[in-house]
Amino acid sequence: DIHTRPWSSAASDVYKRQGKKLVQAGCLVNIDLMEACGYLHDIGKGERDHAGSGAEILKNMGCPHIADIIACHMDLPFADGGKITEKEVIYLADKLACGEKTLSLEKRLESKLEQLSGNPKGQMAAEKRMRTAMKIKRAIEKIVGRNIGTAG
């Protein structure tokens, strides 16, 4: 769709860059899988639970592994020191992507909170998601041995 294509392209670019850095650091992530997920992660956009709807579409198309990753790109439990897999990279990239560009997590949160003004429950959910993204970003930085900024 014309509205999700730029977002998916920006997210896919982040997945590929971070995937390559993680592979170079010895992390076993599948770059091709992450690229596919980058383009498909918003396939359910427009539905109330677009991550779940997208996952269902992909399962029905015979892509259960991609579906499992897409299912949690909006909400993903992650503890400090947790393992980095394709799910975590996709989750982080989704939070960094904003239209055709990437933003810092701080700028992205600021934008999201403004968008959700008047919706305290939505703002709390956005803050929780960004805290998770920040934990994932720190874990990736620890693996690759440097600050990844906006994951560029």
Side-chain angles (χ1 to χ4, degrees), residues 48-64:
R48 188 178 187 300
D49 171 17
H50 84 271
S53 297
E56 192 60 35
I57 291 167
L58 290 161
K59 281 180 189 170
N60 291 337
M61 291 175 66
C63 304

Side-chain angles (χ1 to χ4, degrees), residues 51-148:
S53 297
E56 192 60 35
I57 291 167
L58 290 161
K59 281 180 189 170
N60 291 337
M61 291 175 66
C63 304
H65 193 59
I66 294 173
D68 288 343
I69 294 168
I70 299 304
C72 59
H73 85 272
M74 288 298 297
D75 291 295
L76 178 69
F78 184 79
D80 285 326
K83 183 179 178 187
I84 297 295
T85 68
E86 293 86 359
K87 288 180 182 181
E88 287 74 24
V89 177
I90 287 163
Y91 183 90
L92 175 62
D94 183 65
K95 305 310 173 266
L96 291 166
C98 187
E100 295 180 16
K101 59 186 175 186
T102 57
L103 298 176
S104 70
L105 291 173
E106 294 78 14
K107 289 279 187 203
R108 188 75 169 83
L109 177 58
E110 182 182 309
S111 169
K112 198 65 168 168
L113 292 177
E114 184 178 310
Q115 178 187 352
L116 294 167
S117 69
N119 180 352
K121 189 175 178 181
Q123 288 180 323
M124 284 177 43
E127 288 172 337
K128 179 182 177 200
R129 288 175 177 142
M130 288 301 166
R131 282 192 303 273
T132 299
M134 288 175 192
K135 287 180 189 179
I136 292 169
K137 181 177 178 277
R138 284 191 300 269
I140 291 173
E141 289 172 340
K142 186 175 180 180
I143 292 168
V144 300
R146 67 181 185 86
N147 184 310
I148 61 171

Side-chain angles (χ1 to χ4, degrees), residues 1-7:
D1 148 321
I2 194 166
H3 302 291
T4 60
R5 189 177 309 126
W7 199 287

